[in-house]
Amino acid sequence: MARTVLITGASRGIGAAAARRFAEAGDRVAVNYLRRKEKAEGLAAELRKKGFQAESFQADVSKEAEVCRMFEEIRGAFGPVEVLVNNAGIAEQKPFADITEQDWERMFQVNVKGMYLCARAALSGFLQRQAGCIVNLSSVWGLTGASCEVHYSAAKAAVIGFTKALAKELGPSQVRVNCVAPGVIETDMNAALSAETMEQLREETPMGAVGTPEQAADAVFFLASERAAFITGQVLSPNGGFWI
Ligand code: NAP
């Protein structure tokens, strides 16, 4: 049965690949974005042209009023959100000593507070229906830690704690909460890394490759599917063997 799926940060990268994956499966897809209106609208239009249901919705996930407005707009267009993919995220490479208080706060506002606000906005509908599903994007760095990415690693580790605690709390209401912690995926997020660093990451990966957005999106789609009906509070890490 078609579900209303909100994917935050779906204008590009893993979120855009997930939007395609859910739309192709027949779901109604809300494509959230922050600034790249053209990309988000272009993706939604591309999906509609293929006969799928998709609309774009602007909101900064770190701002409560914007998140509430977005959920209302989605409800008006598609009905209440049934699957929430908390994918919007930012990363930054900096030595620990150079991370400012502002850097730290923004990292947690987008990557952690954004999830909290979206999950809270979805909650009343989930509880009413005694059904729902949340998939949060962490990172392999949230599991292992990355040098020169202390604030990113800490935020992504927080996502795992958030996932496990919420899964325990919402399990009795038949709401599943899981987490995807990808290894290195070829998206704009890694555009700042040098070719040399990317090559090194490939070499450190047993499967000898970095991942594609589609491979990460497949893990998200699986956790949101009926095939994962008895899976909650788990971390699935598509990473080519980078971290086992
Ligand atoms: P990306 O290509 O940099 O895209 C980021 C997306 O997040 C964009 O759609 C962007 O919107 C949106 N976004 C950023 N800040 C936002 C905000 N405040 N409110 C709403 N949307 C916001 O990222 P990606 O590589 O696809 O990563 C997606 C998720 O996977 C992130 O949570 C990331 O941490 C995680 N992840 C990525 C990798 C990797 O190697 N790429 C590995 C592990 C985990 P605009 O386009 O409008 O700016």
Side-chain angles (χ1 to χ4, degrees):
M1 216 167 66
R3 307 164 297 176
T4 297
V5 182
L6 165 59
I7 303 164
T8 66
S11 49
R12 53 204 167 101
I14 295 168
R20 290 194 174 90
R21 188 75 184 78
F22 281 95
E24 283 161 10
D27 291 321
R28 298 175 288 274
V29 177
V31 175
N32 160 254
Y33 67 97
L34 177 63
R35 289 195 194 90
R36 288 171 177 76
K37 186 176 182 187
E38 266 177 40
K39 283 207 172 231
E41 284 185 350
L43 173 59
E46 170 203 314
L47 292 171
R48 286 196 302 272
K49 217 168 154 184
K50 291 180 179 165
F52 305 129
Q53 298 185 78
E55 292 286 347
S56 58
F57 298 88
Q58 196 282 333
D60 181 337
V61 294
S62 71
K63 300 203 168 124
E64 184 179 17
E66 296 191 22
V67 168
C68 291
R69 184 215 355 106
M70 172 173 68
F71 270 76
E72 278 313 303
E73 288 171 359
I74 296 169
R75 178 191 290 275
F78 289 146
V81 170
E82 294 166 285
V83 175
L84 168 64
V85 180
N86 276 318
N87 166 80
I90 54 170
E92 188 178 42
Q93 285 87 36
K94 264 189 180 182
F96 180 59
D98 294 347
I99 295 172
T100 64
E101 188 179 358
Q102 204 184 359
D103 294 335
W104 185 271
E105 282 177 353
R106 189 65 190 150
M107 191 59 74
F108 275 75
Q109 275 168 7
V110 178
N111 291 334
V112 186
K113 186 184 171 196
M115 287 191 181
Y116 151 69
L117 290 175
C118 289
R120 211 182 50 174
L123 186 65
S124 61
F126 286 177
L127 294 181
Q128 238 169 32
R129 292 187 301 282
Q130 290 287 291
C133 177
I134 301 176
V135 182
N136 298 319
L137 267 291
S138 176
S139 162
V140 76
W141 301 135
L143 292 162
T144 67
S147 167
C148 293
E149 294 193 57
V150 170
H151 52 347
Y152 181 73
S153 302
K156 290 299 178 179
V159 170
I160 294 172
F162 174 90
T163 300
K164 292 186 177 187
L166 197 59
K168 284 189 178 168
E169 192 168 327
L170 298 185
S173 304
Q174 306 309 311
V175 176
R176 297 186 303 106
V177 188
N178 286 294
C179 184
V180 172
V184 184
I185 305 292
E186 195 122 40
T187 69
D188 293 349
M189 189 166 271
N190 292 317
L193 300 180
S194 68
E196 201 183 0
T197 304
M198 286 301 276
E199 192 45 44
Q200 199 182 332
L201 288 166
R202 264 186 208 99
E203 277 170 20
E204 284 172 25
T205 305
M207 292 189 78
V210 299
T212 65
E214 291 72 25
Q215 288 167 333
D218 277 339
V220 172
F221 183 77
F222 165 68
L223 287 173
S225 75
E226 265 306 302
R227 296 194 176 214
F230 199 48
I231 299 177
T232 196
Q234 302 301 310
V235 181
L236 179 58
S237 183
N239 65 39
F242 183 82
W243 181 82
I244 292 174

